[in-house]
Amino acid sequence: MAELLWSLQDSQLVARFQRCCGLFPASDEGPRESSAGPSEGETPALGVGHLPCANGKGGGGPPNGLRRDAAPQAYVQRYVVKNYFYYYLFRFSAALGQEVFYITFLPFTHWNIDPYLSRRLVIIWVLVMYVGQVTKDILKWPRPSSPPVVKLEKRVIAEFGMPSTHAMAATAISFTLLLSSMDRYQYPFVWGLVMAVLFSTLVCLSRLYTGMHTVLDVLGGLLITALLIGLTYPTWTFLDRLDSASPLFPVCVLVVPFFLCYNYPVSDYYSPTRADTTTILAAGAGVTVGFWINHFFQLVSKPTDSLPVIQNIPSLTTGMLVLGLTKFAVGILLILVVRQLVQNLSLQVLYSWFKVVTRNKEARQRLEIEVPYKFVTYTSVGICATTFVPMLHRFLGLP
């Protein structure tokens, strides 16, 4: 068993997958100043690109001989793309696993599809992401080494590899949506299962193609997610009713996530993991408080005890599409305004409290500043998305 696990963690296995999909390292011509390449949104001339990595020869992550808790350095790696179908397919699939996709997809689901589904999706997404992020910083397993692996992303290079939170999020979202909707809507279950498997598979394979994870990282993420869904599934109905349990419920929802963020595992160098985790937990707390506000102040009609089954999912029409996009645009605009205002205000207060020079970007990474400002900002975003945006929609006559 140990030998099998070791082989699944081998960077050569990832490199072979990349070569089979037409992604090859270019000849070593030394580092360059610019890191713009296909990973930055440009198509390279003659199929060649380059981006930061952790040594002078290959991509990011702790290279051979480097301590696994040491911060990666910025260098440049060149690569050759020989199959652009796989390149664009997996780059698009990788984007579907980014937090920004879920932070837009979940509000869209709430405003245009079903608040019931969005509530469950948010709860499971937050749980899975927190467990995955903390596990990374406890295990501190390095990402695939480069060479031989080509790495196409630079923002997460400073993070550790095990487990793949992209794989966890994609699997959690797709299968939670499937399990939550099958008793509420009538549709061919097989097609829903196929879509869930296809979505999670594409995101998982994209983590190998981009060189960000080993096979063991991806499989570990899938197994942890399956375990979490299996353990929590019997409690989903109970969790749906927690938002009306007590007037003190919002206090618990805010205090516990903030405590978890402030006591996040300490790393020997700065990485975006703590900031991303705080953003996710804060957004989840804000959404949950927003649902409580809606119930406590009776801003929405009280849900029935038995969930209605819609016989047929309505066909998508041009009018529905335009209405959905309009509601989404209005909601995102209000969220962006709230986010910017709350972020600026919270930073100003914290800078003044800790006597930090304004606009000091490095100060934002300090624990006592980063966690409070992100938590307050994204809690406000979550409350705005679930409470004030629907109120604005009704005010504007957008059903």
Side-chain angles (χ1 to χ4, degrees):
M1 178 62 71
E3 194 172 318
L4 174 62
L5 295 177
W6 182 261
S7 65
L8 292 176
Q9 198 182 11
D10 189 0
S11 297
Q12 290 289 351
L13 190 59
V14 179
R16 287 199 293 270
F17 178 78
Q18 289 181 323
R19 308 301 179 263
C20 288
C21 295
L23 183 63
F24 296 85
S27 58
D28 185 12
E29 298 179 9
R32 300 189 177 189
E33 294 182 0
S34 172
S35 64
S39 61
E40 300 297 321
E42 298 177 11
T43 303
L46 302 179
V48 179
H50 43 283
L51 74 164
C53 60
N55 55 26
K57 299 179 181 179
N64 295 333
L66 184 65
R67 290 187 308 114
R68 64 182 181 179
D69 58 348
Q73 303 298 318
Y75 291 86
V76 171
Q77 177 185 21
R78 293 173 56 81
Y79 56 91
V80 177
V81 177
K82 294 186 177 180
N83 189 317
Y84 277 98
F85 172 76
Y86 286 126
Y87 176 81
Y88 289 114
L89 173 65
F90 289 128
R91 293 313 300 272
F92 175 73
S93 301
L96 295 180
Q98 299 286 356
E99 285 84 358
V100 66
F101 169 74
Y102 298 115
I103 290 176
T104 54
F105 171 73
L106 294 174
F108 183 87
T109 303
H110 180 82
W111 300 330
N112 293 293
I113 301 177
D114 193 344
Y116 164 81
L117 294 181
S118 70
R119 181 169 62 241
R120 285 197 173 182
L121 289 172
V122 167
I123 292 173
I124 301 304
W125 176 63
V126 169
L127 172 64
V128 165
M129 289 299 292
Y130 178 77
V131 171
Q133 297 282 67
V134 170
T135 302
K136 278 185 178 184
D137 283 338
I138 291 177
L139 294 179
K140 299 185 186 234
W141 286 14
R143 293 185 182 273
S145 59
S146 179
V149 172
V150 176
K151 299 199 174 183
L152 301 183
E153 296 179 6
K154 64 179 182 179
R155 181 181 180 273
V156 295
I157 282 178
E159 295 182 3
F160 296 105
M162 178 65 170
S164 168
T165 49
H166 281 72
M168 294 179 70
T171 305
I173 289 291
S174 56
F175 282 91
T176 299
L177 184 60
L178 175 67
L179 294 173
S180 299
S181 62
M182 65 182 186
D183 293 331
R184 192 167 176 87
Y185 298 96
Q186 190 173 48
Y187 62 88
F189 176 79
V190 173
W191 282 108
L193 180 62
V194 168
M195 294 299 295
V197 171
L198 179 62
F199 178 76
S200 56
T201 300
L202 284 175
V203 174
C204 289
L205 292 179
S206 73
R207 306 318 291 156
L208 302 179
Y209 183 86
T210 55
M212 292 293 102
H213 289 284
T214 65
V215 175
L216 186 60
D217 294 342
V218 173
L219 293 178
L222 292 176
L223 291 175
I224 293 173
T225 303
L227 179 63
L228 290 174
I229 289 179
L231 290 176
T232 59
Y233 180 70
T235 68
W236 286 5
T237 302
F238 169 75
L239 292 176
D240 288 334
R241 292 174 170 80
L242 273 181
D243 58 2
S244 59
S246 166
L248 297 178
F249 178 68
V251 178
C252 258
V253 169
L254 294 174
V255 171
V256 173
F258 183 79
F259 175 82
L260 294 175
C261 294
Y262 207 84
N263 292 275
Y264 191 81
V266 179
S267 178
D268 292 338
Y269 64 91
Y270 180 80
S271 77
T273 312
R274 185 182 66 202
D276 292 343
T277 305
T278 303
T279 298
I280 293 168
L281 285 181
V287 167
T288 306
V289 171
F291 278 113
W292 180 88
I293 292 173
N294 293 341
H295 175 83
F296 188 79
F297 292 99
Q298 299 182 351
L299 300 179
V300 295
S301 57
K302 185 177 179 180
T304 56
D305 293 333
S306 59
L307 299 176
V309 176
I310 298 178
Q311 295 300 318
N312 292 300
I313 297 178
S315 301
L316 182 63
T317 63
T318 303
M320 290 176 59
L321 181 61
V322 171
L323 176 62
L325 292 177
T326 303
K327 293 173 70 174
F328 180 73
V330 169
I332 288 296
L333 180 60
L334 180 58
I335 282 178
L336 290 177
V337 171
V338 169
R339 174 185 174 275
Q340 195 62 41
L341 289 175
V342 175
Q343 176 176 286
N344 291 341
L345 179 60
S346 58
L347 280 174
Q348 289 296 328
V349 171
L350 290 168
Y351 284 162
S352 176
W353 180 268
F354 292 104
K355 297 179 173 57
V356 175
V357 178
T358 306
R359 299 186 182 280
N360 184 347
K361 292 184 178 180
E362 291 185 359
R364 290 192 183 191
Q365 299 176 0
R366 290 168 49 178
L367 172 66
E368 64 272 18
I369 293 180
E370 182 177 64
V371 171
Y373 103 78
K374 280 193 170 289
F375 195 87
V376 170
T377 299
Y378 287 96
T379 297
S380 302
V381 166
I383 294 174
C384 176
T386 51
T387 300
F388 295 107
V389 171
M391 292 173 63
L392 180 60
H393 286 162
R394 290 195 292 272
F395 177 78
L396 296 176
L398 300 173

